[in-house]
C-alpha cells in the first residue's frame, strides 16, 4: 500500500479499538480500487465496530473527515447530484470549480482549512419551493456552497456507517438500500394482518423546528471527537440568506437541501423509533407472534411504526381509542425534540377509509364480486393531479415548442412517474394518463396547424384502423400503460446495507 494509504489506515486505527474484529472481506469487488475503495473499507470497519459495541463513542474521527480520499469521494458525490448545477451564496457551482479552480487545488485548500481549524460554513441560500397540492404553502430549501456540501458529504461518509448500526428497520427515508416502496410494502404487510387502525401523522415544519440541543445529544451518544461535534454544530448554526437578502440566524432546525441534514434528522428521530419499536426488540412484549396474540387476548393493542423521514404512520391492531392513546405518547416524545404534531393534519383513521402515504393510497376494501377483503395500494389522487398538472403546463393550446423536444420531456415526466407507481393497482390510472396526454397534444396540434378532426384522422389513423403514436424527429409519445404492473415484495428485516455482505 502507498504511503497515503498507510496514513489512512493509521488514522482509522486511531479511531477504533485495538481489539476490534477484522473486516472479514465485507466489501464487494464491484467497488473500484483507489480513494473510493479506501473510503468503502473505512466505512465497513466503522460499521462493523459500531455493531460490535453499541455503547462505544468514537474518537479521532476528524482525521478521517479531512483525509484526501474522503474529500475526493465526497466531491464525486456532490458532483454527481442534480444540485451540482445550483450555486450557494458564493455563486460557485461544481462546474465552476472544475473549470476555473481545479478539483485538486480546491480540495487541497479545503483540507488545509479543516486541518488548521479555519474552515467556517457559510449561510445557506434560501429558496422557497411551493408544496404540492396547490395549498399555497412553501417549503424552505437551503442551498449550501460547494465547499460546504463537500465537507458535509465527507462528514456523512464517516458518520453514516456508525449510526446505521443503531437505526431500526422501521425507518426507510434517506437510508442506503431503502426506498419508499419498502415503507408502502410494510404498511400493506401489516394491514393484511389486522393492523388496520392508523395514526396518520404530520409533523409541523419538522426540519425547521428540530431542537439543536436534543439533536447534538444524540450525536454525542456515538461521537466523542470534539472537532467533529463542533463541525456538525457549525453547520446547524450557519444561518440562512433569505430570498430578500437578509441573514437569518439558525436557532433550530436543519436546512432541507443540505447533504448532512437527512442523516441528522434520522439520528434525532431515532428517539421516536426506539420508543415505539422497543416492544418489538428481543424479549419485548411484542417480540414474538405468541406474545402479540397473548396481548390481544388480554385486550391490549399491538402497533407498528413505519417512518420515512418526517412522514410516518402507526398501524394498530386494536381499537380507535388505542390509537388516540398512542397519539398522546407520540406528542410527548416529539416534544423532547422541539417538534409537534399538526392538529389539523394528524388523523386517526381506519384503513377502510384509505390513507395517503408517500404518493400512494392504501385501503382495506372488498374485492369486486366477492366477499373477500384485501389491502389495496393505489395511486393517490394528489399524485395523479400533480402529474396531470405538469403535462398540462407543457401543452397549452397556443404552445410553439418544438414537438420532438416536447415529446422527450413529456416521456421523461410520465415514465418517471409511472416507474415509481408501477407496483400499485395502477393499470387504469396509466391508461387514463395516456389518454389525457394524447388529448392535450392533439388539442395543441390542431390549434397550431388549424386541423379539423378529419385532418387528425388522416394523419394518425393507419389503414387497419389503429392509431399511430404522435411522433416527431424520431421521438414518439410513449405509453405509460406499457409499463408492467408488478408487485413489490415486503423485505422487512432482510434489507442489508452497503457495509455488510452475506459472507460476513
Amino acid at each position: 500500500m502507498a504511503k497515503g494509504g498507510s496514513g489512512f489506515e493509521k488514522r482509522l486505527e486511531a479511531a477504533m479499538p485495538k481489539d476490534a474484529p477484522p473486516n472479514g472481506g465485507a466489501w464487494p469487488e464491484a467497488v473500484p480500487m483507489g480513494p473510493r475503495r479506501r473510503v468503502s473499507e473505512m466505512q465497513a470497519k466503522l460499521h462493523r465496530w459500531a455493531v460490535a459495541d453499541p455503547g462505544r463513542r468514537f474518537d479521532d474521527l476528524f482525521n478521517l473527515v479531512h483525509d484526501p480520499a474522503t474529500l475526493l469521494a465526497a466531491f464525486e458525490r456532490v458532483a454527481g447530484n442534480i444540485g451540482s448545477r445550483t450555486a450557494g451564496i458564493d455563486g460557485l457551482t461544481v462546474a465552476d470549480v472544475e473549470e476555473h479552480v481545479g478539483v485538486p487545488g480546491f480540495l487541497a485548500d479545503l483540507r488545509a482549512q479543516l486541518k488548521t481549524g479555519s474552515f467556517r460554513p457559510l449561510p445557506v441560500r434560501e429558496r422557497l419551493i411551493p408544496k404540492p397540492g396547490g395549498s399555497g404553502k412553501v417549503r424552505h430549501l437551503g442551498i449550501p456552497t460547494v465547499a460546504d456540501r463537500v465537507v458535509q458529504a465527507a462528514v456523512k461518509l464517516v458518520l453514516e456507517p456508525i449510526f446505521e448500526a443503531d437505526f431500526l428497520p422501521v425507518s426507510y427515508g434517506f437510508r442506503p438500500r431503502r426506498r419508499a416502496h419498502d415503507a408502502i410494502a410494510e404498511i400493506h404487510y401489516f394491514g393484511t394482518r389486522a393492523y388496520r387502525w392508523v395514526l396518520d401523522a404530520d409533523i409541523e415544519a419538522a426540519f425547521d423546528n428540530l431542537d439543536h440541543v436534543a439533536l447534538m445529544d444524540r450525536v454525542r451518544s456515538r461521537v466523542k471527537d470534539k472537532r467533529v461535534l463542533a463541525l456538525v454544530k457549525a453547520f446547524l448554526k450557519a444561518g440562512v440568506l433569505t430570498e430578500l437578502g437578509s441573514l437569518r440566524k439558525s436557532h433550530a432546525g436543519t436546512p432541507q437541501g443540505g447533504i448532512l441534514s437527512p442523516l441528522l434528522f434520522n439520528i434525532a428521530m431515532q428517539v421516536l423509533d426506539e420508543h415505539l419499536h422497543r416492544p418489538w426488540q428481543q424479549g419485548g412484549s411484542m417480540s414474538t407472534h405468541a406474545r402479540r396474540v397473548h396481548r390481544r387476548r388480554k385486550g391490549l393493542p399491538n402497533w407498528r411504526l413505519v417512518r420515512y423521514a418526517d412522514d410516518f404512520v402507526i398501524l394498530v391492531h386494536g381499537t380507535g381509542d388505542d390509537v388516540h392513546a398512542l397519539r398522546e405518547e407520540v406528542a410527548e416524545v416529539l416534544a423532547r425534540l422541539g417538534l409537534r404534531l399538526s392538529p389539523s393534519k394528524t388523523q386517526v383513521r381506519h384503513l377502510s377509509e384509505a390513507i395517503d402515504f408517500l404518493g400512494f393510497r392504501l385501503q382495506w376494501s372488498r374485492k369486486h364480486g366477492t366477499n373477500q377483503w384485501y389491502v389495496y395500494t393505489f395511486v393517490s389522487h394528489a399524485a395523479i393531479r400533480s402529474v396531470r398538472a405538469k403535462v398540462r403546463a407543457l401543452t397549452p393550446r397556443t404552445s410553439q415548442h418544438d414537438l420532438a423536444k416536447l415529446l422527450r420531456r413529456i416521456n421523461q415526466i410520465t415514465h418517471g412517474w409511472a416507474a415509481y407507481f408501477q407496483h400499485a393497482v395502477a393499470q387504469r390510472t396509466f391508461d387514463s394518463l395516456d389518454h389525457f396526454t394524447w388529448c392535450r397534444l392533439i388539442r395543441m396540434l390542431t390549434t397550431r396547424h388549424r386541423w379539423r378532426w378529419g385532418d387528425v384522422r388522416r394523419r394518425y389513423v393507419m389503414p387497419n384502423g389503429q392509431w399511430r403514436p404522435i411522433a416527431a424527429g424520431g421521438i414518439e409519445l410513449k405509453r405509460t400503460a406499457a409499463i408492467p404492473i408488478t408487485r413489490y415484495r415486503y423485505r422487512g428485516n432482510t434489507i442489508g446495507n452497503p457495509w455488510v455482505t452475506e459472507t460476513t
Side-chain angles (χ1 to χ4, degrees):
M1 183 179 289
K3 291 182 179 180
S6 299
F8 191 75
E9 289 296 321
K10 290 177 181 177
R11 285 186 284 274
L12 180 59
E13 293 300 327
M16 298 301 119
K18 299 300 181 183
D19 58 346
N23 192 27
W27 279 96
E29 293 301 321
V31 180
M33 296 301 292
R36 288 178 59 193
R37 177 77 179 198
R38 289 166 55 194
V39 171
S40 297
E41 291 173 348
M42 173 268 289
Q43 290 181 305
K45 291 179 180 179
L46 289 174
H47 181 75
R48 189 178 185 92
W49 287 322
V51 171
D53 189 350
R56 181 173 297 278
R57 297 178 66 210
F58 289 77
D59 201 359
D60 201 20
L61 296 175
F62 190 71
N63 290 328
L64 300 178
V65 172
H66 68 63
D67 187 275
T70 308
L71 290 177
L72 182 57
F75 184 86
E76 290 178 352
R77 290 197 175 187
V78 171
N81 291 338
I82 296 177
S84 64
R85 296 173 295 199
T86 307
I89 66 171
D90 61 356
L92 284 178
T93 64
V94 169
D96 294 331
V97 171
E98 293 174 336
E99 295 174 12
H100 305 298
V101 181
V103 175
F106 175 79
L107 294 181
D109 181 63
L110 194 58
R111 182 169 186 253
Q113 292 182 46
L114 288 168
K115 290 182 68 175
T116 60
S118 61
F119 174 80
R120 295 291 184 275
L122 294 176
V124 298
R125 181 167 68 88
E126 183 181 56
R127 188 175 178 185
L128 303 180
I129 307 296
K131 288 187 176 182
S135 63
K137 296 183 178 180
V138 295
R139 177 177 288 110
H140 296 266
L141 184 67
I143 304 173
T145 64
V146 175
D148 291 348
R149 276 178 255 178
V150 172
V151 177
Q152 286 192 35
V155 173
K156 183 181 179 183
L157 286 172
V158 175
L159 295 187
E160 186 174 48
I162 296 173
F163 285 97
E164 273 290 330
D166 301 328
F167 288 163
L168 296 172
V170 295
S171 168
Y172 293 99
F174 305 107
R175 294 182 58 190
R177 296 189 179 175
R178 289 169 173 259
R179 352 171 29 198
H181 301 88
D182 290 310
I184 298 300
E186 180 147 337
I187 296 174
H188 187 279
Y189 179 86
F190 282 94
T192 59
R193 286 157 177 78
Y195 289 72
R196 298 192 187 108
W197 279 101
V198 182
L199 176 63
D200 188 1
D202 182 270
I203 303 176
E204 286 189 348
F207 279 83
D208 298 331
N209 295 323
L210 183 63
D211 184 75
H212 288 172
V213 175
L215 170 58
M216 291 305 300
D217 286 344
R218 295 294 300 186
V219 177
R220 289 189 190 93
S221 68
R222 274 301 202 171
V223 178
K224 190 177 181 180
D225 193 322
K226 293 183 178 180
R227 294 168 297 177
V228 173
L229 293 171
L231 196 55
V232 172
K233 189 173 182 179
F235 281 119
L236 294 174
K237 300 292 185 182
V240 178
L241 185 66
T242 68
E243 290 189 337
L244 299 177
S246 61
L247 182 62
R248 185 175 70 241
K249 293 183 178 180
S250 302
H251 300 292
T254 175
Q256 294 189 62
I259 294 176
L260 192 57
S261 295
L263 174 62
L264 294 178
F265 190 83
N266 275 334
I267 291 172
M269 289 295 288
Q270 180 75 354
V271 174
L272 179 66
D273 299 346
E274 290 172 352
H275 179 83
L276 293 175
H277 195 66
R278 189 175 297 115
W280 285 81
Q281 303 286 58
Q282 186 175 4
S285 58
M286 303 178 196
S287 57
T288 65
H289 176 71
R291 291 183 177 183
R292 294 192 291 273
V293 170
H294 180 68
R295 284 178 59 86
R296 290 304 299 137
R297 287 175 178 170
K298 295 177 63 176
L300 298 174
N302 296 317
W303 58 80
R304 182 78 174 188
L305 168 70
V306 180
R307 184 175 67 82
Y308 191 95
D310 59 327
D311 295 324
F312 68 92
V313 296
I314 302 175
L315 308 169
V316 178
H317 185 186
T319 67
D321 292 336
D322 297 325
V323 185
H324 283 287
L326 274 174
R327 176 175 179 165
E328 298 304 317
E329 281 189 40
V330 169
E332 292 178 6
V333 174
L334 292 179
R336 304 175 204 162
L337 304 174
L339 305 176
R340 64 189 296 263
L341 294 173
S342 170
S344 59
K345 295 183 180 180
T346 301
Q347 299 178 337
V348 175
R349 307 175 70 90
H350 193 271
L351 208 53
S352 60
E353 303 175 60
I355 61 168
D356 285 359
F357 192 65
L358 303 178
F360 293 88
R361 180 168 61 91
L362 295 104
Q363 185 172 14
W364 187 53
S365 179
R366 182 175 60 85
K367 184 178 180 180
H368 292 296
T370 71
N371 290 323
Q372 297 177 327
W373 289 67
Y374 300 95
V375 176
Y376 291 96
T377 304
F378 304 102
V379 183
S380 72
H381 299 311
I384 296 172
R385 289 195 299 268
S386 175
V387 71
R388 287 193 172 203
K390 292 178 181 178
V391 173
R392 189 180 290 111
L394 289 171
T395 56
R397 186 188 291 271
T398 57
S399 171
Q400 296 300 317
H401 289 300
D402 178 73
L403 184 57
K405 293 180 179 178
L406 183 60
L407 291 175
R408 182 182 292 108
R409 181 58 183 149
I410 289 176
N411 286 339
Q412 290 173 346
I413 291 173
T414 57
H415 273 243
W417 183 88
Y420 179 78
F421 290 108
Q422 68 175 333
H423 306 298
V425 181
Q427 192 62 61
R428 290 184 180 179
T429 302
F430 290 176
D431 285 330
S432 176
L433 177 60
D434 287 339
H435 179 70
F436 173 81
T437 305
W438 186 89
C439 288
R440 291 291 303 184
L441 285 168
I442 290 295
R443 177 176 176 267
M444 183 192 74
L445 291 173
T446 54
T447 301
R448 177 182 298 184
H449 300 293
R450 298 182 180 179
W451 289 341
R452 295 182 180 274
W453 183 244
D455 299 320
V456 174
R457 290 187 60 85
R458 278 191 294 273
R459 186 175 182 87
Y460 289 108
V461 176
M462 294 184 290
N464 61 4
Q466 294 183 344
W467 286 83
R468 292 189 181 92
I470 300 174
I475 306 297
E476 69 176 39
L477 181 66
K478 295 181 179 179
R479 296 176 60 250
T480 58
I483 295 177
I485 304 297
T486 58
R487 182 177 178 183
Y488 191 88
R489 298 291 178 177
Y490 171 60
R491 298 193 290 164
N493 297 340
T494 64
I495 304 176
N497 62 58
W499 311 293
V500 178
T501 65
E502 294 179 359
T503 60
T504 58

